[in-house]
Amino acid sequence: MDIDHGKYIEEKKSAWKIFDRIYKKYDLLNHLLSLGFDFHWRKKLSSLTGRKGDGMLLDLATGTGDVLFSLIKHSGGFNKAVGVDMSFNMLSHAVRKSVKRGKSGDVEFILGDANSIPVKTGSFDIATMAFGIRNISDPVIALRDIRRTLAKDGRALILEFSLPENRFLKSVHLFYLRYFLPVIGKLISGDVEAYRYLNKTIEVFPYGDKFIKLMEEAGFTECEKFPLTMGVVTIYRGIKTNG
Ligand SMILES: C[S@@+](CC[C@H](N)C(=O)[O-])C[C@H]1O[C@@H](n2cnc3c(N)ncnc32)[C@H](O)[C@@H]1O
């Protein structure tokens, strides 16, 4: 896919504004467009934290908070769970959901940028980011800052779209991304730009070993990848083994 690189970077810098517009329909579209697989992806993310009922959790680009809520549910809770996002409307929705679910005492939401995370160095055991790193203009800068927030032996778990290795599955998936997703996205959210942006970023964002290299460049060690659902998404895990 041909892209105008300068325009693409500028779009990424203001990607949060798209979510600020579509926040009311975001959760519904997420479940619909992933055919409900998003629940399974978050559950798998939870199993890779290696924690059971303790530790400090930081979720970047938390949006409406579904990763936080899922990790709290499947990991048996954390000592503290913090969600950070640039979109005020997405965060407000997350706060409303936490009150509704009786979780408002367990979580804290902060308006902030994943490139310069407003939390203390070395204060978290797990840092997660689901479908956020693709929206960052320089992923390595964000990954370095994510690493900074972690205590020694802390884990970063990044869940992001990828493309299937199998050529046939890849072309079917690209067809879905280019022609089906923007139409459904527009019908439900009324915002065609949002879902065109989504398919454009998925197609050009580095995945698999290329993304592992970015994690290593940011200082993570023991980096691993876990492709899910025929490779349409991948979870990447990296450890902060030294200060
Ligand atoms: C696709 S949503 C993902 C939300 C959530 N993690 C999930 O899995 O449903 C991407 C989120 O990234 C946020 N975002 C975009 N750029 C950001 C940045 N620089 N720092 C923090 N959040 C950002 C958007 O506001 C949006 O809520």
Side-chain angles (χ1 to χ4, degrees):
M1 176 183 245
D2 290 331
I3 57 156
D4 173 340
H5 202 66
K7 192 169 162 233
Y8 179 64
I9 297 289
E10 281 315 305
E11 277 178 343
K12 283 192 172 205
K13 283 187 184 154
S14 54
W16 65 272
K17 292 182 187 163
I18 294 177
F19 297 96
D20 221 44
R21 291 199 302 269
I22 62 163
Y23 71 99
K24 280 188 189 155
K25 297 282 165 65
Y26 177 80
D27 286 346
L28 172 67
L29 274 164
N30 225 4
H31 307 326
L32 267 182
L33 294 173
S34 69
L35 309 175
F37 278 108
D38 59 317
F39 294 100
H40 162 67
W41 300 335
R42 285 190 291 270
K43 201 169 167 189
K44 178 72 184 172
L45 195 68
S46 173
S47 74
L48 292 171
T49 61
R51 315 282 316 188
K52 274 274 167 246
D54 68 341
M56 303 278 283
L57 167 69
L58 175 67
D59 183 40
L60 284 320
T62 196
T64 61
D66 274 354
V67 168
L68 277 188
F69 301 132
S70 173
L71 262 64
I72 290 171
K73 181 175 162 194
H74 296 296
S75 305
F78 289 87
N79 297 336
K80 188 174 178 185
V82 176
V84 174
D85 201 281
M86 289 272 276
S87 158
F88 179 81
N89 284 337
M90 292 286 269
L91 283 185
S92 304
H93 202 55
V95 171
R96 282 193 290 277
K97 279 163 69 175
S98 70
V99 173
K100 237 181 182 172
R101 292 167 190 219
K103 297 280 176 217
S104 55
D106 307 341
V107 292
E108 183 185 343
F109 292 104
I110 305 175
L111 192 65
D113 189 344
N115 289 299
S116 174
I117 308 161
V119 302
K120 273 204 327 217
T121 298
S123 46
F124 288 88
D125 302 296
I126 302 290
T128 50
M129 193 181 210
F131 308 113
I133 197 78
R134 210 184 61 255
N135 297 311
I136 304 284
S137 46
D138 188 337
V140 176
I141 291 181
L143 288 170
R144 278 201 191 111
D145 209 40
I146 292 172
R147 189 179 172 280
R148 176 192 65 78
T149 69
L150 289 170
K152 186 174 176 313
D153 297 325
R155 292 180 181 193
L157 293 162
I158 311 291
L159 167 58
E160 194 46 87
F161 290 108
S162 47
L163 293 172
E165 291 297 327
N166 177 288
R167 280 171 67 182
F168 173 71
L169 289 176
K170 186 173 173 176
S171 35
V172 172
H173 189 54
L174 284 174
F175 183 84
Y176 168 78
L177 290 176
R178 287 176 187 167
Y179 304 106
F180 192 72
L181 185 135
V183 174
I184 301 292
K186 187 195 169 183
L187 277 177
I188 296 178
S189 72
D191 196 322
V192 72
E193 192 205 331
Y195 288 87
R196 284 216 184 288
Y197 171 81
L198 179 64
N199 98 288
K200 193 160 62 179
T201 51
I202 295 173
E203 284 192 43
V204 298
F205 194 72
Y207 62 93
D209 290 340
K210 284 190 182 153
F211 190 78
I212 293 275
K213 282 218 166 65
L214 299 185
M215 289 193 82
E216 288 169 348
E217 203 181 319
F220 286 105
T221 51
E222 299 173 38
C223 297
E224 285 175 275
K225 58 179 195 287
F226 304 88
L228 306 176
T229 320
M230 293 172 292
V232 299
V233 300
T234 300
I235 297 176
Y236 304 91
R237 183 170 67 187
I239 317 272
K240 178 178 179 175
T241 37
N242 46 40

Short mmCIF file of all heavy atoms in Angstrom, two decimals, residues 73-124:
data_model
loop_
_atom_site.label_atom_id
_atom_site.label_comp_id
_atom_site.label_asym_id
_atom_site.label_seq_id
_atom_site.Cartn_x
_atom_site.Cartn_y
_atom_site.Cartn_z
N LYS A 73 -10.26 -9.02 36.12
CA LYS A 73 -11.13 -10.19 36.24
C LYS A 73 -10.33 -11.51 36.14
O LYS A 73 -10.47 -12.39 36.97
CB LYS A 73 -12.19 -10.13 35.13
CG LYS A 73 -13.18 -11.26 35.15
CD LYS A 73 -14.25 -11.02 34.10
CE LYS A 73 -14.99 -12.30 33.77
NZ LYS A 73 -15.77 -12.16 32.55
N HIS A 74 -9.50 -11.61 35.11
CA HIS A 74 -8.83 -12.89 34.86
C HIS A 74 -7.55 -13.10 35.67
O HIS A 74 -7.09 -14.23 35.80
CB HIS A 74 -8.53 -13.05 33.37
CG HIS A 74 -9.77 -13.11 32.52
ND1 HIS A 74 -10.68 -14.12 32.62
CD2 HIS A 74 -10.27 -12.25 31.60
CE1 HIS A 74 -11.68 -13.91 31.78
NE2 HIS A 74 -11.46 -12.78 31.15
N SER A 75 -6.96 -12.01 36.19
CA SER A 75 -5.72 -12.18 36.96
C SER A 75 -5.99 -12.15 38.45
O SER A 75 -5.04 -12.13 39.24
CB SER A 75 -4.71 -11.09 36.61
OG SER A 75 -4.47 -11.04 35.24
N GLY A 76 -7.24 -12.05 38.84
CA GLY A 76 -7.56 -12.03 40.27
C GLY A 76 -7.26 -10.71 40.95
O GLY A 76 -7.13 -10.65 42.17
N GLY A 77 -7.11 -9.65 40.19
CA GLY A 77 -6.94 -8.30 40.79
C GLY A 77 -5.48 -7.89 40.90
O GLY A 77 -4.56 -8.71 40.78
N PHE A 78 -5.27 -6.60 41.09
CA PHE A 78 -3.91 -6.04 41.22
C PHE A 78 -3.91 -5.15 42.46
O PHE A 78 -4.97 -4.73 42.93
CB PHE A 78 -3.57 -5.20 39.97
CG PHE A 78 -3.35 -6.05 38.76
CD1 PHE A 78 -4.43 -6.42 37.95
CD2 PHE A 78 -2.08 -6.50 38.42
CE1 PHE A 78 -4.24 -7.22 36.84
CE2 PHE A 78 -1.89 -7.31 37.31
CZ PHE A 78 -2.96 -7.66 36.51
N ASN A 79 -2.73 -4.82 42.98
CA ASN A 79 -2.68 -3.88 44.10
C ASN A 79 -3.17 -2.51 43.63
O ASN A 79 -3.81 -1.78 44.37
CB ASN A 79 -1.26 -3.76 44.65
CG ASN A 79 -0.79 -5.10 45.21
OD1 ASN A 79 -1.63 -5.93 45.58
ND2 ASN A 79 0.50 -5.32 45.24
N LYS A 80 -2.82 -2.19 42.39
CA LYS A 80 -3.30 -0.94 41.81
C LYS A 80 -3.34 -1.10 40.28
O LYS A 80 -2.46 -1.76 39.72
CB LYS A 80 -2.34 0.19 42.18
CG LYS A 80 -2.84 1.56 41.78
CD LYS A 80 -1.94 2.66 42.30
CE LYS A 80 -2.46 4.00 41.85
NZ LYS A 80 -1.57 5.08 42.23
N ALA A 81 -4.35 -0.51 39.64
CA ALA A 81 -4.43 -0.57 38.17
C ALA A 81 -4.69 0.85 37.65
O ALA A 81 -5.62 1.52 38.10
CB ALA A 81 -5.56 -1.50 37.75
N VAL A 82 -3.82 1.27 36.73
CA VAL A 82 -3.91 2.64 36.21
C VAL A 82 -4.06 2.60 34.69
O VAL A 82 -3.33 1.87 34.01
CB VAL A 82 -2.62 3.45 36.58
CG1 VAL A 82 -2.65 4.84 35.96
CG2 VAL A 82 -2.45 3.54 38.09
N GLY A 83 -4.98 3.38 34.15
CA GLY A 83 -5.17 3.47 32.70
C GLY A 83 -4.83 4.88 32.23
O GLY A 83 -5.22 5.86 32.87
N VAL A 84 -4.08 4.97 31.12
CA VAL A 84 -3.67 6.27 30.57
C VAL A 84 -4.16 6.38 29.13
O VAL A 84 -4.02 5.43 28.36
CB VAL A 84 -2.12 6.42 30.62
CG1 VAL A 84 -1.67 7.70 29.93
CG2 VAL A 84 -1.61 6.38 32.05
N ASP A 85 -4.71 7.52 28.76
CA ASP A 85 -5.15 7.73 27.37
C ASP A 85 -5.17 9.24 27.09
O ASP A 85 -5.27 10.05 28.00
CB ASP A 85 -6.55 7.15 27.16
CG ASP A 85 -6.85 6.88 25.69
OD1 ASP A 85 -7.18 7.85 24.96
OD2 ASP A 85 -6.76 5.71 25.26
N MET A 86 -5.08 9.56 25.80
CA MET A 86 -5.09 10.98 25.38
C MET A 86 -6.52 11.49 25.19
O MET A 86 -6.74 12.69 25.10
CB MET A 86 -4.38 11.13 24.03
CG MET A 86 -2.90 10.96 24.07
SD MET A 86 -2.06 12.49 24.42
CE MET A 86 -1.97 13.21 22.79
N SER A 87 -7.48 10.58 25.06
CA SER A 87 -8.84 11.02 24.75
C SER A 87 -9.69 11.16 26.02
O SER A 87 -9.95 10.17 26.71
CB SER A 87 -9.50 10.02 23.78
OG SER A 87 -10.91 10.13 23.86
N PHE A 88 -10.13 12.36 26.28
CA PHE A 88 -10.95 12.63 27.46
C PHE A 88 -12.26 11.85 27.39
O PHE A 88 -12.71 11.27 28.38
CB PHE A 88 -11.22 14.14 27.57
CG PHE A 88 -12.08 14.50 28.74
CD1 PHE A 88 -11.53 14.63 30.02
CD2 PHE A 88 -13.45 14.70 28.60
CE1 PHE A 88 -12.32 14.93 31.12
CE2 PHE A 88 -14.26 15.00 29.69
CZ PHE A 88 -13.68 15.11 30.95
N ASN A 89 -12.86 11.81 26.20
CA ASN A 89 -14.16 11.12 26.08
C ASN A 89 -14.05 9.61 26.28
O ASN A 89 -14.92 9.00 26.90
CB ASN A 89 -14.79 11.42 24.71
CG ASN A 89 -15.37 12.82 24.66
OD1 ASN A 89 -15.69 13.39 25.71
ND2 ASN A 89 -15.49 13.38 23.47
N MET A 90 -12.97 9.01 25.73
CA MET A 90 -12.78 7.56 25.94
C MET A 90 -12.59 7.29 27.43
O MET A 90 -13.18 6.36 27.98
CB MET A 90 -11.56 7.05 25.15
CG MET A 90 -11.72 7.06 23.64
SD MET A 90 -12.80 5.75 23.00
CE MET A 90 -11.64 4.42 22.70
N LEU A 91 -11.79 8.13 28.10
CA LEU A 91 -11.54 7.93 29.54
C LEU A 91 -12.81 8.13 30.36
O LEU A 91 -13.05 7.39 31.31
CB LEU A 91 -10.46 8.90 30.03
CG LEU A 91 -9.02 8.55 29.69
CD1 LEU A 91 -8.07 9.54 30.35
CD2 LEU A 91 -8.66 7.13 30.13
N SER A 92 -13.62 9.14 29.99
CA SER A 92 -14.86 9.39 30.74
C SER A 92 -15.76 8.16 30.65
O SER A 92 -16.42 7.78 31.62
CB SER A 92 -15.62 10.59 30.18
OG SER A 92 -14.79 11.70 30.19
N HIS A 93 -15.77 7.54 29.46
CA HIS A 93 -16.56 6.33 29.27
C HIS A 93 -16.01 5.20 30.17
O HIS A 93 -16.78 4.45 30.77
CB HIS A 93 -16.50 5.94 27.80
CG HIS A 93 -17.63 5.07 27.36
ND1 HIS A 93 -18.95 5.41 27.54
CD2 HIS A 93 -17.63 3.84 26.77
CE1 HIS A 93 -19.71 4.44 27.08
NE2 HIS A 93 -18.93 3.48 26.61
N ALA A 94 -14.67 5.12 30.25
CA ALA A 94 -14.03 4.10 31.10
C ALA A 94 -14.42 4.32 32.56
O ALA A 94 -14.73 3.36 33.28
CB ALA A 94 -12.50 4.17 30.95
N VAL A 95 -14.44 5.57 32.99
CA VAL A 95 -14.80 5.88 34.39
C VAL A 95 -16.24 5.45 34.65
O VAL A 95 -16.53 4.79 35.65
CB VAL A 95 -14.60 7.39 34.70
CG1 VAL A 95 -15.15 7.75 36.06
CG2 VAL A 95 -13.12 7.75 34.62
N ARG A 96 -17.14 5.78 33.70
CA ARG A 96 -18.55 5.40 33.87
C ARG A 96 -18.68 3.87 33.98
O ARG A 96 -19.42 3.36 34.82
CB ARG A 96 -19.39 5.91 32.70
CG ARG A 96 -19.73 7.41 32.80
CD ARG A 96 -20.81 7.79 31.80
NE ARG A 96 -20.35 7.74 30.42
CZ ARG A 96 -19.68 8.72 29.80
NH1 ARG A 96 -19.41 9.85 30.43
NH2 ARG A 96 -19.29 8.58 28.55
N LYS A 97 -17.92 3.14 33.14
CA LYS A 97 -17.98 1.68 33.17
C LYS A 97 -17.46 1.15 34.51
O LYS A 97 -18.00 0.20 35.07
CB LYS A 97 -17.16 1.09 32.02
CG LYS A 97 -17.93 1.11 30.70
CD LYS A 97 -17.03 0.93 29.51
CE LYS A 97 -16.42 -0.41 29.35
NZ LYS A 97 -15.65 -0.54 28.10
N SER A 98 -16.39 1.78 35.05
CA SER A 98 -15.82 1.30 36.31
C SER A 98 -16.82 1.49 37.45
O SER A 98 -16.93 0.64 38.33
CB SER A 98 -14.49 1.97 36.63
OG SER A 98 -14.69 3.33 36.96
N VAL A 99 -17.59 2.59 37.41
CA VAL A 99 -18.60 2.84 38.46
C VAL A 99 -19.70 1.78 38.34
O VAL A 99 -20.09 1.15 39.32
CB VAL A 99 -19.17 4.27 38.34
CG1 VAL A 99 -20.33 4.49 39.30
CG2 VAL A 99 -18.07 5.30 38.57
N LYS A 100 -20.16 1.57 37.09
CA LYS A 100 -21.23 0.59 36.84
C LYS A 100 -20.85 -0.81 37.32
O LYS A 100 -21.67 -1.55 37.84
CB LYS A 100 -21.49 0.53 35.33
CG LYS A 100 -22.93 0.83 34.94
CD LYS A 100 -23.02 0.72 33.45
CE LYS A 100 -24.38 1.03 32.93
NZ LYS A 100 -24.38 1.09 31.48
N ARG A 101 -19.58 -1.17 37.11
CA ARG A 101 -19.12 -2.53 37.46
C ARG A 101 -18.66 -2.64 38.91
O ARG A 101 -18.14 -3.68 39.32
CB ARG A 101 -17.94 -2.93 36.56
CG ARG A 101 -18.36 -3.10 35.14
CD ARG A 101 -17.15 -3.15 34.23
NE ARG A 101 -17.60 -3.08 32.86
CZ ARG A 101 -17.09 -3.77 31.86
NH1 ARG A 101 -16.08 -4.57 32.07
NH2 ARG A 101 -17.56 -3.64 30.64
N GLY A 102 -18.75 -1.51 39.65
CA GLY A 102 -18.30 -1.53 41.05
C GLY A 102 -16.79 -1.65 41.17
O GLY A 102 -16.27 -2.19 42.14
N LYS A 103 -16.06 -1.15 40.13
CA LYS A 103 -14.59 -1.27 40.14
C LYS A 103 -13.91 0.08 40.37
O LYS A 103 -12.68 0.18 40.25
CB LYS A 103 -14.09 -1.83 38.79
CG LYS A 103 -14.57 -3.21 38.47
CD LYS A 103 -13.74 -4.24 39.20
CE LYS A 103 -14.26 -5.65 38.95
NZ LYS A 103 -14.16 -6.50 40.12
N SER A 104 -14.71 1.12 40.67
CA SER A 104 -14.11 2.46 40.68
C SER A 104 -13.04 2.60 41.76
O SER A 104 -12.14 3.43 41.64
CB SER A 104 -15.20 3.53 40.84
OG SER A 104 -15.96 3.25 41.98
N GLY A 105 -13.12 1.76 42.83
CA GLY A 105 -12.11 1.84 43.88
C GLY A 105 -10.81 1.16 43.46
O GLY A 105 -9.75 1.41 44.03
N ASP A 106 -10.87 0.28 42.43
CA ASP A 106 -9.71 -0.52 42.05
C ASP A 106 -8.86 0.14 40.96
O ASP A 106 -7.73 -0.29 40.72
CB ASP A 106 -10.15 -1.89 41.48
CG ASP A 106 -11.08 -2.63 42.41
OD1 ASP A 106 -11.10 -2.27 43.60
OD2 ASP A 106 -11.79 -3.54 41.94
N VAL A 107 -9.45 1.11 40.24
CA VAL A 107 -8.74 1.64 39.07
C VAL A 107 -8.63 3.16 39.12
O VAL A 107 -9.45 3.84 39.74
CB VAL A 107 -9.44 1.24 37.75
CG1 VAL A 107 -9.34 -0.24 37.48
CG2 VAL A 107 -10.89 1.66 37.73
N GLU A 108 -7.60 3.65 38.42
CA GLU A 108 -7.43 5.11 38.31
C GLU A 108 -7.20 5.41 36.83
O GLU A 108 -6.46 4.67 36.16
CB GLU A 108 -6.21 5.51 39.13
CG GLU A 108 -5.95 7.01 39.16
CD GLU A 108 -4.64 7.34 39.88
OE1 GLU A 108 -4.11 6.47 40.61
OE2 GLU A 108 -4.16 8.45 39.70
N PHE A 109 -7.83 6.45 36.31
CA PHE A 109 -7.63 6.81 34.90
C PHE A 109 -6.97 8.17 34.81
O PHE A 109 -7.37 9.11 35.50
CB PHE A 109 -8.97 6.80 34.15
CG PHE A 109 -9.55 5.42 34.01
CD1 PHE A 109 -10.61 5.00 34.80
CD2 PHE A 109 -9.01 4.52 33.09
CE1 PHE A 109 -11.13 3.72 34.69
CE2 PHE A 109 -9.52 3.23 32.97
CZ PHE A 109 -10.58 2.83 33.76
N ILE A 110 -5.94 8.26 33.98
CA ILE A 110 -5.17 9.51 33.86
C ILE A 110 -5.14 9.94 32.39
O ILE A 110 -4.85 9.12 31.50
CB ILE A 110 -3.71 9.31 34.34
CG1 ILE A 110 -3.67 8.77 35.78
CG2 ILE A 110 -2.92 10.60 34.25
CD1 ILE A 110 -2.25 8.44 36.26
N LEU A 111 -5.42 11.22 32.15
CA LEU A 111 -5.32 11.77 30.80
C LEU A 111 -3.84 12.01 30.53
O LEU A 111 -3.18 12.77 31.25
CB LEU A 111 -6.09 13.10 30.75
CG LEU A 111 -6.35 13.70 29.38
CD1 LEU A 111 -7.25 12.83 28.54
CD2 LEU A 111 -6.96 15.10 29.53
N GLY A 112 -3.28 11.33 29.52
CA GLY A 112 -1.85 11.50 29.29
C GLY A 112 -1.39 10.84 28.00
O GLY A 112 -2.12 10.05 27.40
N ASP A 113 -0.15 11.14 27.62
CA ASP A 113 0.43 10.70 26.36
C ASP A 113 1.36 9.50 26.60
O ASP A 113 2.22 9.55 27.49
CB ASP A 113 1.24 11.88 25.79
CG ASP A 113 1.71 11.64 24.38
OD1 ASP A 113 1.70 10.49 23.93
OD2 ASP A 113 2.09 12.64 23.73
N ALA A 114 1.20 8.46 25.79
CA ALA A 114 2.03 7.26 25.93
C ALA A 114 3.49 7.53 25.54
O ALA A 114 4.37 6.71 25.81
CB ALA A 114 1.46 6.14 25.08
N ASN A 115 3.76 8.68 24.92
CA ASN A 115 5.15 9.02 24.59
C ASN A 115 5.88 9.60 25.80
O ASN A 115 7.10 9.70 25.81
CB ASN A 115 5.18 10.07 23.48
CG ASN A 115 4.75 9.49 22.17
OD1 ASN A 115 5.39 8.57 21.67
ND2 ASN A 115 3.66 10.01 21.62
N SER A 116 5.11 10.07 26.76
CA SER A 116 5.70 10.70 27.93
C SER A 116 4.73 10.42 29.08
O SER A 116 3.93 11.25 29.47
CB SER A 116 5.83 12.21 27.64
OG SER A 116 6.25 12.88 28.76
N ILE A 117 4.82 9.22 29.61
CA ILE A 117 3.78 8.68 30.51
C ILE A 117 3.87 9.36 31.88
O ILE A 117 4.95 9.36 32.50
CB ILE A 117 3.93 7.14 30.63
CG1 ILE A 117 3.99 6.50 29.23
CG2 ILE A 117 2.79 6.54 31.43
CD1 ILE A 117 4.58 5.10 29.20
N PRO A 118 2.74 9.94 32.33
CA PRO A 118 2.80 10.73 33.57
C PRO A 118 2.77 9.88 34.84
O PRO A 118 1.89 10.03 35.69
CB PRO A 118 1.56 11.63 33.45
CG PRO A 118 0.60 10.84 32.63
CD PRO A 118 1.41 9.97 31.71
N VAL A 119 3.73 8.94 34.96
CA VAL A 119 3.84 8.11 36.18
C VAL A 119 5.32 7.98 36.55
O VAL A 119 6.20 8.21 35.70
CB VAL A 119 3.23 6.69 36.00
CG1 VAL A 119 1.77 6.75 35.61
CG2 VAL A 119 4.03 5.85 35.01
N LYS A 120 5.56 7.58 37.80
CA LYS A 120 6.95 7.50 38.30
C LYS A 120 7.73 6.34 37.66
O LYS A 120 7.16 5.28 37.38
CB LYS A 120 6.93 7.29 39.82
CG LYS A 120 6.86 8.60 40.56
CD LYS A 120 7.39 8.56 41.99
CE LYS A 120 7.21 7.33 42.78
NZ LYS A 120 6.93 7.46 44.18
N THR A 121 9.02 6.55 37.48
CA THR A 121 9.91 5.52 36.92
C THR A 121 9.93 4.28 37.84
O THR A 121 9.96 4.42 39.06
CB THR A 121 11.34 6.13 36.82
OG1 THR A 121 11.26 7.23 35.92
CG2 THR A 121 12.37 5.12 36.34
N GLY A 122 9.89 3.12 37.25
CA GLY A 122 10.07 1.87 37.99
C GLY A 122 8.93 1.51 38.92
O GLY A 122 9.11 0.76 39.87
N SER A 123 7.72 2.03 38.65
CA SER A 123 6.65 1.81 39.65
C SER A 123 5.63 0.72 39.29
O SER A 123 4.74 0.46 40.07
CB SER A 123 5.93 3.13 39.93
OG SER A 123 5.62 3.81 38.75
N PHE A 124 5.77 0.09 38.11
CA PHE A 124 4.77 -0.91 37.71
C PHE A 124 5.40 -2.28 37.42
O PHE A 124 6.55 -2.36 37.01
CB PHE A 124 3.99 -0.42 36.48
CG PHE A 124 3.05 0.71 36.83
CD1 PHE A 124 3.49 2.02 36.80
CD2 PHE A 124 1.76 0.44 37.24
CE1 PHE A 124 2.65 3.06 37.18
CE2 PHE A 124 0.90 1.48 37.61
CZ PHE A 124 1.35 2.78 37.57
#
